[in-house]
Amino acid sequence: MREKFNLGPLRPILVFCVIALIIMMISRLGLGLWQADRVTAAGGWSDLLIQGLRVDIATLCWLWGVAALGTAIFSGPHLIGRLWQVILRSWLTIGLWLIVFLEASTPAFIEEYGIRPNRLYVEYLIYPKEVLSMLWAGRPIEVIFSLLLTIVTLWFGWRLSGTLFKKITYPRVFWRPVIALMVIIVTFAGARSTLGHRPLNPAMVAFSTDPLVNSLVINSSYSLFFAINQMGSEADAAKIYGKMDKQDIIDLVRADSGRPLSDFTSKEFPSRTFNEASYKGKPKNLVIILEESLGAQFVGNLGGLPLTPNLDKLSKQGWSFNDLYATGTRSVRGIEAVTTGFTPTPARSVVKLGKSQTNFFTIADLLAKKGYTTQFIYGGESYFDNMRSFFLGNGFQDIVDETDYDSPTFVGSWGVSDEDLMRKANSEFERLHQEGKPFASLVFSSSNHDPFEFPDGRIKLYEQPKQTRNNAAKYADFAIGEFFKLAKKSDYWKDTVFLIVADHDSRVSGANLVPISRFRIPGVILGEGIAPKQDNRVVSQIDLAPTLLSLMGISATYPMLGQDLTQVSDDWPGRALMQYDKNMAYMRGNDVVILQPEHEPRGFEYDPANQSLTPEAQSQNMKQTALAWALWGSLAYQQGYFNVTAPKADPLTEERLNNEGKNQH
């Protein structure tokens, strides 16, 4: 009798693949219908469905291809076969749960970040206390649903796999190599999904200038694990945007920094320059108030909702930036830009990267060496996002966090309220001033964060119910107002430069490759001697630290390439750098170049009034400059260009490092 292939033990895997494929296709179709206007505008229905099926098949090959190979080899009615069956049932069940859970959580993630789950999904998981308390306080129904969905999916997967393994027949030994070879070929071809040089990746199926529509083509499991895989090699932006000679990168960013090339005297640290302060009096204290998620859309004087009467009033009393842009969409990205002047990259912020945990430049380290007491003041737990480790390793001498508040007025998921934070900050500044210690403090708010918890009776609610993003933004503004009531009456006021700035906007998303309008944030510099000014130049967060040092009267050598805005002409158009997932925008005035993975740079013109990007040819020089800025951060990080160790063979810089600061404190 002629022997036939017997694929019996592979049948459970095939059934699970079909079920998973149906789930992912239904989810994609549902998400597409939810975002139908954007999908239709991008002309993306065929890509969404056809290319989506391609990605789903590749995902299943990656997920269960090895399981199929193991089944071809190990399955059978013997001890090894029985052990393998337990492993395979667990593999199938957990794999199915993962697909179901990620697809179910995708709408909420899209609402928050404007794209399918990516690396942010993983980064938040390492802080279970904060995340779980935030979710329970703000989304209890979703938490309960997720728990029930997990239980049902795991139960269903285990029961189904058990049923499918009943009465299975196994192929004869001589068929197993043939089946194994077939599995290898199918898995390899399906996972790679192309005969081209590179295997399938999100850039290969991207077709639109709308990042959300592109992300809908892939499924959430593929999106998440591709992002995790990229994190292992994320430090090299050249793998994402393309290569450029190291010296060309250095030359272009130097030229675009606004400094004379003669100022760059170090070969070992190519971005270091000596920067003369514009203020010549006794050096001042520094207070940076970093506001959580307070984008321009919430700020009245920037054309946003009428939620910030205190900030609007303060903007008329100081140097107000009307066209200031965040470098990214996460708090650590804002911290990176404001405290180190480091440029954004597709990698994680230097706050989290290993090589930058010590010996990395921050303005706190610079000021600590000049006799300042340096502080980080926060209402939550400072270890979140690795802030405590980074700060303590790089010049911040004192950390004040949730454990240091006695009888706070209000404690929510993210720690004490902003008004508790501001009162604590004021008391710290009064103490340090009375002790005769110059100080530099970063004060980081947290109330304007999901689940938007704050004390009752402080503000007239903008809307109902109470715990909304708009109401939390209004409360954050209330706390700012309360702080400056105290600060203006204090003895330290006349000796201090203050900056109020957002870390990033909330819910950064949009139909453009980079939603530029969602990177616009408020920024106001205040203090005695700071003349009121409405600044309409394009400004980046990386320009703030050099400007603050200049206003404080601190002449110093440092590696920051941001502009000292006190010494730039008013007709300078400005430039900004914005990292949006793997895309990066370089904006000079209203001219924009956007870099994407494995694509040529694309030119646009930005219309601030309509908040729109229009395709517009840009010069080769601007495209090269954009690429240089995109590659600079990775190069500087890997080569240690932001290390604070002084160069060994650079006498001029050594002399400046040794001599600067004379007559200061």
Side-chain angles (χ1 to χ4, degrees):
M1 183 176 178
R2 186 179 177 183
E3 186 68 41
K4 298 181 180 180
F5 282 159
N6 189 334
L7 302 180
L10 295 177
R11 186 167 64 93
I13 299 175
L14 295 175
V15 171
F16 269 74
C17 283
V18 171
I19 293 172
L21 194 64
I22 292 171
I23 290 170
M24 289 185 288
M25 291 176 67
I26 291 175
S27 174
R28 180 179 293 106
L29 182 60
L31 293 170
L33 292 173
W34 175 38
Q35 301 291 338
D37 292 345
R38 291 170 67 171
V39 176
T40 301
W45 285 107
S46 60
D47 289 273
L48 192 72
L49 300 177
I50 297 173
Q51 295 289 0
L53 178 61
R54 175 187 177 189
V55 176
D56 292 345
I57 291 172
T59 301
L60 295 175
C61 288
W62 281 108
L63 179 61
W64 287 320
V66 174
L69 179 61
T71 299
I73 298 172
F74 300 122
S75 63
H78 42 66
L79 178 60
I80 293 176
R82 288 193 293 272
L83 290 174
W84 176 254
Q85 186 176 118
V86 174
I87 294 172
L88 182 58
R89 287 183 65 188
S90 302
W91 196 330
L92 291 172
T93 301
I94 293 172
L96 181 65
W97 167 78
L98 184 68
I99 288 171
V100 171
F101 187 86
L102 288 175
E103 292 301 325
S105 63
T106 295
F109 195 89
I110 288 176
E111 278 191 329
E112 188 67 31
Y113 298 106
I115 202 168
R116 276 192 187 266
N118 56 15
R119 56 194 275 173
L120 300 182
Y121 200 99
V122 179
E123 290 182 2
Y124 271 128
L125 291 180
I126 62 176
Y127 304 105
K129 174 182 177 293
E130 287 83 356
V131 172
L132 289 176
S133 62
M134 174 186 72
L135 291 175
W136 182 250
R139 299 173 180 266
I141 295 177
E142 287 93 330
V143 172
I144 294 172
F145 173 75
S146 298
L147 181 60
L148 291 175
L149 183 67
T150 294
I151 294 172
V152 170
T153 304
L154 292 175
W155 173 83
F156 172 78
W158 187 256
R159 289 293 300 271
L160 177 63
S161 65
T163 301
L164 293 173
F165 274 107
K166 291 179 179 178
K167 298 181 181 180
I168 278 185
T169 57
Y170 300 96
R172 295 184 180 275
V173 174
F174 57 80
W175 281 119
R176 291 185 181 247
V178 177
I179 297 173
L181 181 61
M182 290 174 58
V183 168
I184 291 172
I185 293 172
V186 171
T187 298
F188 181 80
R192 205 171 189 284
S193 192
T194 176
L195 297 176
H197 175 65
R198 295 182 178 180
L200 177 70
N201 60 65
M204 194 175 291
V205 294
F207 65 94
S208 170
T209 59
D210 187 334
L212 172 60
V213 176
N214 285 337
S215 78
L216 293 183
V217 176
I218 58 181
N219 58 68
S220 293
S221 301
Y222 190 95
S223 176
L224 179 62
F225 284 94
F226 183 85
I228 293 172
N229 182 62
Q230 288 291 298
M231 289 171 69
S233 58
E234 63 185 1
D236 188 3
K239 293 182 179 179
I240 297 174
Y241 302 128
K243 296 181 179 180
M244 178 182 283
D245 182 77
K246 181 172 77 171
Q247 193 58 49
D248 289 340
I249 296 172
I250 293 170
D251 291 344
L252 284 166
V253 297
R254 280 176 168 179
D256 207 44
S257 73
R259 296 166 175 80
L261 294 180
S262 59
D263 283 5
F264 297 95
T265 59
S266 173
K267 293 182 180 179
E268 188 177 356
F269 298 95
S271 66
R272 279 193 182 179
T273 57
F274 178 76
N275 299 267
E276 190 76 33
S278 57
Y279 174 66
K280 303 302 181 184
K282 177 185 175 182
K284 295 191 174 186
N285 306 312
L286 174 65
V287 172
I288 299 174
I289 299 176
L290 192 64
E291 285 293 318
E292 172 69 47
S293 302
L294 192 65
Q297 61 177 314
F298 305 108
V299 180
N301 75 288
L302 295 180
L305 296 174
L307 304 174
T308 56
N310 293 295
L311 188 55
D312 296 345
K313 181 179 178 181
L314 291 168
S315 70
K316 295 181 175 65
Q317 300 170 7
W319 184 352
S320 180
F321 299 101
N322 296 328
D323 223 8
L324 170 63
Y325 293 88
T327 58
T329 61
R330 289 290 308 279
S331 296
V332 285
R333 187 67 79 194
I335 290 170
E336 169 189 76
V338 173
T339 65
T340 77
F342 199 75
T343 55
T345 71
R348 290 174 292 173
S349 161
V350 293
V351 175
K352 292 189 168 188
L353 295 179
K355 290 183 179 181
S356 49
Q357 296 308 299
T358 58
N359 198 39
F360 195 84
F361 173 83
T362 67
I363 56 173
D365 182 80
L366 186 155
L367 294 171
K369 291 174 180 176
K370 293 182 178 296
Y372 281 74
T373 296
T374 54
Q375 287 183 310
F376 173 56
I377 305 177
Y378 186 48
E381 295 182 329
S382 57
Y383 70 81
F384 184 78
D385 263 349
N386 202 54
M387 294 185 295
R388 185 182 188 88
S389 176
F390 176 80
F391 287 144
L392 290 176
N394 292 300
F396 286 84
Q397 302 159 334
D398 183 26
I399 303 289
V400 177
D401 68 3
E402 186 175 359
T403 59
D404 298 304
Y405 292 78
D406 297 325
S407 303
T409 301
F410 182 87
V411 180
S413 300
W414 290 96
V416 304
S417 68
D418 280 5
E419 61 189 271
D420 290 302
L421 170 73
M422 295 304 179
R423 280 196 293 267
K424 182 69 171 180
N426 177 70
S427 67
E428 287 292 307
F429 304 154
E430 288 183 330
R431 176 182 63 81
L432 290 169
H433 183 77
Q434 290 171 2
E435 294 174 358
K437 297 178 180 178
F439 58 85
S441 295
L442 174 66
V443 182
F444 187 21
S445 76
S446 59
S447 292
N448 187 25
H449 195 299
D450 195 351
F452 311 116
E453 300 165 302
F454 56 91
D456 293 327
R458 301 304 194 270
I459 61 170
K460 181 180 179 181
L461 298 181
Y462 177 76
E463 60 193 3
Q464 292 290 344
K466 175 193 171 187
Q467 287 181 225
T468 67
R469 194 177 303 272
N470 290 332
N471 286 333
K474 191 171 183 180
Y475 171 74
D477 176 77
F478 162 81
I480 292 173
E482 293 301 296
F483 170 77
F484 278 98
K485 287 178 183 177
L486 298 172
K488 288 180 179 180
K489 297 176 182 177
S490 71
D491 291 333
Y492 66 80
W493 169 262
K494 65 181 183 301
D495 298 318
T496 306
V497 173
F498 301 84
L499 168 68
I500 312 166
V501 65
D503 56 355
H504 57 84
D505 195 359
S506 179
R507 288 190 172 180
V508 178
S509 62
N512 294 314
L513 288 173
V514 176
I516 289 176
S517 65
R518 288 294 178 258
F519 281 77
R520 186 167 168 244
I521 56 173
V524 181
I525 298 175
L526 294 149
E528 190 167 294
I530 306 295
K533 176 181 180 180
Q534 297 295 311
D535 195 329
N536 294 316
R537 296 172 294 184
V538 170
V539 173
S540 172
Q541 277 178 325
I542 67 170
D543 300 320
L544 297 176
T547 303
L548 291 170
L549 291 173
S550 187
L551 290 169
M552 293 168 65
I554 301 295
S555 298
T557 294
Y558 50 69
M560 299 185 292
L561 289 168
Q563 296 273 12
D564 172 1
L565 298 171
T566 69
Q567 303 188 44
V568 180
S569 63
D570 289 340
D571 60 356
W572 176 60
R575 60 87 196 89
L577 310 169
M578 291 162 265
Q579 189 74 42
Y580 183 58
D581 195 35
K582 288 295 186 288
N583 295 346
M584 178 170 173
Y586 169 73
M587 184 162 72
R588 184 190 295 165
N590 290 330
D591 294 327
V592 179
V593 169
I594 294 180
L595 304 173
Q596 302 171 260
E598 301 182 33
H599 284 73
E600 290 296 316
R602 301 181 62 173
F604 298 88
E605 183 175 354
Y606 180 61
D607 182 350
N610 297 322
Q611 300 182 356
S612 62
L613 279 174
T614 304
E616 182 73 27
Q618 298 295 345
S619 68
Q620 188 62 25
N621 174 265
M622 184 162 171
K623 290 180 179 179
Q624 288 295 100
T625 301
L627 179 59
W629 279 114
L631 301 181
W632 164 254
S634 293
L635 177 66
Y637 173 76
Q638 291 290 1
Q639 298 296 318
Y641 293 160
F642 263 58
N643 287 0
V644 296
T645 305
K648 298 177 182 178
D650 192 350
L652 181 57
T653 301
E654 285 283 1
E655 182 180 355
R656 281 177 172 168
L657 283 170
N658 292 331
N659 293 333
E660 71 189 31
K662 285 184 178 181
N663 303 320
Q664 297 181 8
H665 296 302

